[in-house]
Amino acid sequence: MKILNGADIAGYMKENQAHQVRALQSRKIQPKLVIIRDNDSPVIKTYVHLKQLYGNDIGVVVEDRQTAEIEKAILEANQDPSVHGIIVQLPLEHEYDLDQVFSQILPKKDVDGLGGSRIFESATATAINWLLASYDIELSRTKIALVGRGRLIGKPLFKMWQDSGYDVSVFHRGDDLSKLKDFGVIISATGSPHLIKSEMISSGTVIVDAGTASEGGVLVGDVDDQVRERSDLLAITPKIGGVGPLTVTALFEHVLQATKEA
């Protein structure tokens, strides 16, 4: 069974990104990412901290702005020529029209790809695509199941793979997950701990756990631990170091692209 280790791939790409940043800095250009959030939950703090560490490692300035005035913060970052990338860290605590929020990010700075500009794809969807391609997982000859169609992962990944002509289906909340047995590749991104049980999975399946939730202060995914004990799967992401590290890599790849095109 293959372990789909995104951290290994991210490490290789990170070195290349650091080289790109040094080249930009030699031309007096300093890449900068602004993270806008409205809460301090454990999951949010973890995500922001990981991005700050990564940015520091490759030389990108990462500014964390916590505010209840999300749209005002976006406007300020839009107008700041030193800012090359803007992301709104989800989930937000207060009620917002997310379509309205993301549409206000300038397309050239929408490095998370959630504003519908099509300049940048969703960073997480891009990461999952990279991960599967890096481990030679063939998507054109199998049935793909997306469990969850959220803004960050399910929705953009569905469109990406549908546009590529892949056979992809979406499972929503309340759907019969026992039908997952009919699929060769399963991507789960619901944030519902232990949602995907072993009895739902057939032998030879590829599983990507892209869900994240906090359970007793510990980050957990959608896939139950019993699934990971099986030896008859074709491939599965690890509990730590699967999609997450590569998502951060994809995000900063977009930041560097935005910096070069500014």
Side-chain angles (χ1 to χ4, degrees):
M1 179 175 67
K2 295 179 181 178
I3 301 298
L4 304 175
N5 195 327
D8 287 347
I9 304 165
Y12 171 78
M13 297 185 68
K14 190 176 185 179
E15 292 182 15
N16 179 265
Q17 290 175 342
H19 176 77
Q20 293 179 59
V21 172
R22 289 193 293 271
L24 288 166
Q25 290 171 336
S26 71
R27 295 160 45 202
K28 309 299 183 185
I29 300 171
Q30 176 57 62
K32 182 176 179 179
L33 169 68
V34 168
I35 302 173
I36 299 171
R37 59 189 173 108
D38 76 343
N39 68 91
D40 209 26
S41 75
V43 172
I44 292 294
K45 288 174 69 174
T46 298
Y47 284 159
V48 171
H49 184 60
L50 287 172
K51 293 179 178 74
Q52 289 174 320
L53 288 176
Y54 194 103
N56 184 64
D57 285 347
I58 67 171
V60 173
V61 172
V62 178
E63 184 176 321
D64 177 25
R65 300 182 184 177
Q66 184 176 348
T67 176
E69 298 182 281
I70 295 291
E71 295 186 30
K72 179 182 178 182
I74 291 173
L75 178 61
E76 292 173 350
N78 278 339
Q79 295 174 340
D80 186 346
S82 73
V83 175
H84 303 99
I86 302 168
I87 69 169
V88 175
Q89 186 67 64
L90 298 180
L92 295 175
E93 184 176 64
H94 300 91
E95 290 293 329
Y96 295 94
D97 180 337
L98 291 181
D99 287 330
Q100 172 70 13
V101 167
F102 288 115
S103 69
Q104 296 199 24
I105 301 175
L106 285 178
K108 65 180 182 180
K109 297 187 179 187
D110 179 25
V111 291
D112 226 0
L114 300 180
S117 67
R118 305 303 294 169
I119 294 178
F120 300 105
E121 296 282 2
S122 156
T124 310
T126 298
I128 292 172
N129 223 22
W130 284 354
L131 183 63
L132 294 173
S134 296
Y135 282 91
D136 298 319
I137 303 299
E138 179 58 62
L139 298 178
S140 63
R141 300 174 185 175
T142 189
K143 294 176 64 177
I144 307 168
L146 289 174
V147 184
R149 197 178 181 183
R151 179 184 297 274
L152 280 174
I153 304 174
K155 186 176 181 180
L157 202 53
F158 178 78
K159 187 176 191 315
M160 182 187 298
W161 285 346
Q162 190 179 52
D163 289 347
S164 297
Y166 299 157
D167 183 356
V168 55
S169 301
V170 178
F171 285 76
H172 300 277
R173 184 184 299 274
D175 286 351
D176 181 5
L177 296 185
S178 68
K179 295 181 179 179
L180 291 175
K181 280 183 170 290
D182 298 331
F183 292 82
V185 175
I186 299 170
I187 317 295
S188 188
T190 68
S192 301
H194 316 294
L195 176 68
I196 308 300
K197 307 292 187 183
S198 183
E199 60 267 22
M200 302 172 181
I201 310 299
S202 294
S203 177
T205 302
V206 174
I207 303 174
V208 174
D209 187 353
T212 306
S214 179
E215 187 177 66
V218 178
L219 293 182
V220 295
D222 289 357
V223 176
D224 190 75
D225 288 343
Q226 287 188 348
V227 177
R228 301 183 187 281
E229 296 172 1
R230 291 176 52 169
S231 60
D232 62 336
L233 301 177
L234 179 60
I236 190 170
T237 50
K239 291 183 71 170
I240 300 175
V243 175
L246 206 51
T247 295
V248 178
T249 301
L251 172 67
F252 279 92
E253 192 72 15
H254 293 169
V255 173
L256 294 182
Q257 183 180 335
T259 303
K260 293 172 186 176
E261 297 176 358

